[in-house]
Amino acid sequence: MTAEDHSVTPAARHRGGRWRRWRRGRPFTAGVLIALGGAEMLVTLRAPLGVLLHVGPQGLAAYLVPIILVICGVLLVLTPQQRVFYAVLSLVLGLLSWLTSNLGGFVVGMLLTLVGGALAFAWTPDKRPAASRVAPGPVDAAPAPPAPREPADAGTALLFGGEPTGRDPAEQG
């Protein structure tokens, strides 16, 4: 067998490439944490604990806040362009859940939501072009030559009625 027989094919080298690109192109972890925090709050609301009682409008808010958090987490993953709105809304609702949803789902759901909201707020899309995201090749030893500059006196010669000569104004005399 030669070394060519053991080469790795591009498909095997980039296993899960489409999923990874999709996931990295959006605040995926933040959305999952926010949705998990909201789901955890919903579970604690349905816990068979006699001490916890929700009556009237507070009972509606106790269910509404976690449901909106789950929706925010899902929408954050599906529409990352609106990440700032969903992040701020999740942070506000996460703090509000302390009052409405059994101390924020016994603190666990609130913490998941706050961490997810902070991650969503801090996430930024990759602005580099696709060609530069590829693994870097060998580094060139010599830097690229600078772009040619325009003569410094080209604009001033036109201001004073002269013709641009490309020479230094001191040389024009």
Side-chain angles (χ1 to χ4, degrees):
M1 296 188 129
T2 64
E4 295 168 18
D5 295 335
H6 294 290
S7 65
V8 177
T9 62
R13 186 172 47 229
H14 300 297
R15 208 168 100 199
R18 287 178 60 196
W19 166 251
R20 181 175 291 166
R21 277 192 312 272
W22 182 84
R23 192 184 73 221
R24 289 187 179 178
R26 55 199 70 243
F28 184 77
T29 306
V32 169
L33 286 175
I34 291 169
L36 282 175
E40 197 273 336
M41 288 178 208
L42 280 172
V43 168
T44 59
L45 287 174
R46 302 300 301 166
L49 300 173
V51 177
L52 306 172
L53 179 65
H54 301 288
V55 180
Q58 185 183 3
L60 177 64
Y63 285 102
L64 201 57
V65 168
I67 289 172
I68 293 173
L69 283 170
V70 170
I71 292 171
C72 274
V74 170
L75 288 175
L76 185 64
V77 172
L78 295 179
T79 57
Q81 300 84 3
Q82 305 297 324
R83 69 187 177 280
V84 175
F85 172 73
Y86 295 133
V88 171
L89 185 62
S90 328
L91 290 169
V92 169
L93 290 177
L95 291 172
L96 185 65
S97 72
W98 178 262
L99 301 173
T100 62
S101 302
N102 297 332
L103 300 176
F106 299 117
V107 182
V108 175
M110 183 184 72
L111 287 177
L112 284 172
T113 301
L114 292 178
V115 169
L119 285 174
F121 194 75
W123 183 84
T124 56
D126 194 5
K127 303 256 186 216
R128 295 180 295 164
S132 66
R133 283 186 227 137
V134 180
V139 178
D140 294 335
R149 288 185 33 175
E150 188 175 304
D153 67 336
T156 57
L158 290 175
L159 284 177
F160 298 116
E163 301 235 356
T165 60
R167 295 184 301 168
D168 190 27
E171 294 175 8
Q172 290 179 5

